[in-house]
Amino acid sequence: MVTWWKMYPCWRLVTILLAMIFNGSRTSFALHNGVGVTPAMGWNPYNAFACNTVESQYHSNAQAVVNLGLKALGYNYVNLDCGWQGTTRNASGAFTWNVAALPNGVPALATFVHSLGLKFGVYSDGGFFACDAVGGTAHFLGSLGHESQDAAIFASWGADYLKYDNCYAVSSTDFVDFDPPIEIQPHYTTMRDALAATGRPILFSACEWGVQDPARWPASSVANSWRISNDIGPPASWDNLFRIINQLVPITGFAGPGGFNDLDMLEVGNTGLTTAEQQTHFAFWAAAKSPLIISTDLTTISQAALSILSNPRVIALNQDPLGQSISFKRRYTNDHDVWAGHLSDGSMVAGNTLVVINMANSARSIAFELSDVGITSATAINVITGASLGTLTNSFTSAFDAHGSLVLKLSNFVSATPPSFTFYQAAAAGNVLGGGASTRVINNTITVVGFVGEGGTLGFTGIDGGAAGGTKLLSLDFVNADFTETNSACSNCRNAFISINDGPAVQVQMPLSGQSWDILFSGYLVSLSGFVAGKTNTVQISNPTAFTPDWYRIGVSV
Ligand SMILES: *[C@@H]1O[C@H](CO)[C@@H](O)[C@H](O)[C@H]1NC(C)=O
Ligand SMILES: *[C@@H]1O[C@H](CO)[C@@H](O)[C@H](O)[C@H]1NC(C)=O
């Protein structure tokens, strides 16, 4: 292995150290290919046209990026997606294009895109073939084994961006494998090095669908962005957003300048989401520092969708030079989520993402508790409307559309005293494990209780309710690696039902903690009532129909 400082000429070293000092983030791992320092913005046809996009559509959409004012807002890449490639290499082994889709060829299209002052992106695949069948036994070309040659040709055609997919990664017959028996990271590092060798700055967008936990490779040393999940669509749906949002929870800390979690291309403008849902989708993707790649037909886009995509304040959250993603702060199950993160000017972006599952299509008012983001008061701006809200203290109640959201920029904030907890380990003697519940040891260090649910139960005893009992804030440390690429009632989450002193069981919906069963989530907060004074309280965890996460410990507020 090469020590990291040997990988860079001296002038780069200075930049890297400054970046480390001033950002305090994970920039030491970033790619430093000079592009993608903030999340990529642009247009790609896939969510609108799948693999059937033709030259005239690339032309008209590139022109629309300029004419609709999107280029001026920072959307500067126009990218190819599947279907542009040929099915056979030429006599020199070089990559070819689909002449039916692109009769004038890729170099001419690149020239056209560049003539508009935009950048041009190509698409390939790290496997034997690219995604999607052409018909019959033919396949679109992939780049496996041809990385240097392909990178050089893409660069010579004027490519500024490469989206790199993951189909046929294992063999020429295994189309999509979410659990491949091989390591896929080398497909991406080989292409990263091939792109670097061209000498042309080419933004590298890894599209490995979150397979093998790329954030922890870490993918920030491989690509400028990496997909965290399976496709967002088409078709677009609220369930797809919910699946991806849960999948982001454990990896928000891996985003930083030059390397970002990619939540997939935008569905704003496409059917399947209400206007409020599209607004939530766009604001959440922006604040999570996902690339903002528009993927709708811009020649027919509605004014409502265009104004969502054109909001300069939301775009500014995305392009903030600190590059910090919002992170999960609190979930009020079946009610709303709170996420927050810092911006480079010292302010904080925070907001409620309403996640009403049983109350879809109902508008209502919600109180945002400032303590959920660790503060008691702040000056606030509504990021979506631009309205100044003055000083908020303790809580702020506002109206929400169904699946709508509130996005606030908070400054001049006063920190709240953090709650303090008494912790109780799940595996402690005196607790009662029922049904199939059993203990397991992680990393020879901590013991957790698993197989809770489906008959298994975990009962804590001897919990201190303090002098008054009543309602307590609980802090839950758990492990949940039950990740999925498809939608279910609880995609990338598990439900626990928690009962205090044999009172009513309260549903608590808990997101992923990681992609392996040794990664903890610490500090999931939930308020539960029914405690009595003194040290005789019990906390019972169960789920009649599914497994809960595995449990390390619970904290009960003092
Ligand atoms: C193959 O394509 C490459 C790149 O387009 C070109 O430079 C080369 O001349 C072609 N070779 C043949 C034999 O056509
Ligand atoms: C166990 O080790 C893995 C690998 O080092 C690490 O990612 C994980 O956080 C550890 N888990 C705990 C609970 O310490």
Side-chain angles (χ1 to χ4, degrees), residues 328-334 372 419 421 470-478 496-500 505-510 521-529 531 539 541 551 553-557:
F328 177 86
K329 297 297 175 194
R330 184 125 184 209
R331 170 163 294 169
Y332 295 84
T333 300
N334 295 333
D372 286 346
F421 298 97
T471 299
K472 295 271 173 197
L473 185 64
L474 273 68
S475 172
L476 312 177
D477 290 4
F478 64 91
F497 292 86
I498 307 184
S499 160
I500 310 304
V506 174
Q507 182 193 350
V508 181
Q509 188 185 63
M510 306 167 79
F521 184 98
S522 293
Y524 180 105
L525 299 174
V526 59
S527 274
L528 294 171
S529 59
F531 286 90
V539 175
I541 302 176
W551 300 85
R553 61 180 191 175
I554 63 171
V556 178
S557 60

Side-chain angles (χ1 to χ4, degrees), residues 313 347-351 368 370 375 377-393 395-396 406-413:
R313 292 172 301 277
S347 66
M348 188 196 292
V349 55
F368 163 53
L370 276 64
I375 61 178
S377 76
T379 326
I381 293 169
N382 180 326
V383 175
I384 292 173
T385 64
S388 171
L389 303 173
T391 301
L392 311 183
T393 306
S395 119
F396 175 63
L406 169 72
V407 183
L408 299 177
K409 184 171 171 178
L410 303 169
S411 39
N412 306 317
F413 37 82

Side-chain angles (χ1 to χ4, degrees), residues 45-284:
Y46 183 75
N47 288 345
F49 302 110
C51 302
N52 307 310
T53 323
V54 296
E55 195 172 81
S56 58
Q57 291 165 323
Y58 282 111
H59 275 248
S60 57
N61 276 277
Q63 190 68 58
V65 169
V66 177
N67 295 356
L68 296 174
L70 295 164
K71 176 190 162 198
L73 288 163
Y75 295 95
N76 58 356
Y77 288 98
V78 168
N79 298 339
L80 302 174
D81 208 295
C82 54
W84 76 270
Q85 316 95 313
T87 55
T88 52
R89 292 175 177 271
N90 76 8
S92 320
F95 212 95
T96 57
W97 58 79
N98 176 355
V99 177
L102 304 174
N104 291 296
V106 173
L109 180 56
T111 301
F112 174 73
V113 170
H114 287 150
S115 76
L116 296 173
L118 297 166
K119 293 176 177 166
F120 178 67
V122 296
Y123 164 92
S124 190
D125 189 288
F128 291 83
F129 306 118
C131 301
D132 295 281
V134 181
T137 54
H139 291 286
F140 295 120
L141 293 170
S143 289
L144 184 63
H146 298 270
E147 291 86 352
S148 297
Q149 190 180 15
D150 291 358
I153 286 176
F154 298 158
S156 76
W157 290 342
D160 306 302
Y161 184 113
L162 173 65
K163 175 180 172 183
Y164 207 49
D165 220 327
N166 192 34
C167 289
Y168 297 100
V170 179
S171 74
S172 58
T173 53
D174 191 356
F175 174 30
V176 168
D177 197 331
F178 290 123
D179 189 16
I182 58 159
E183 258 190 79
I184 60 163
Q185 182 182 348
H187 293 178
Y188 291 87
T189 50
T190 305
M191 185 48 95
R192 169 199 65 191
D193 296 342
L195 291 173
T198 68
R200 185 177 173 90
I202 298 176
L203 193 150
F204 190 31
S205 157
C207 180
E208 58 347 77
W209 324 318
V211 166
Q212 297 175 345
D213 209 354
R216 290 172 193 273
W217 292 347
S220 54
S221 65
V222 180
N224 298 104
S225 62
W226 52 91
R227 283 276 300 278
I228 69 158
S229 67
N230 194 8
D231 292 1
I232 190 173
S237 71
W238 179 255
D239 290 348
N240 288 331
L241 305 187
F242 183 69
R243 163 173 57 82
I244 295 171
I245 288 171
N246 279 325
Q247 202 153 0
L248 178 67
V249 170
I251 53 173
T252 51
F254 291 90
F260 298 99
N261 291 307
D262 180 353
L263 280 59
D264 202 2
M265 299 179 297
L266 298 167
E267 288 283 13
V268 178
N270 298 330
T271 53
L273 297 173
T274 65
T275 300
E277 289 169 340
Q278 292 180 43
Q279 177 65 79
T280 295
H281 166 37
F282 185 66
F284 189 94

Side-chain angles (χ1 to χ4, degrees), residues 216 442-443 445-446 448 479 516-520 552:
R216 290 172 193 273
I442 295 178
N443 296 353
T445 52
I446 66 165
V448 297
V479 183
S516 68
W517 287 95
D518 60 8
I519 299 172
L520 270 183
Y552 169 44

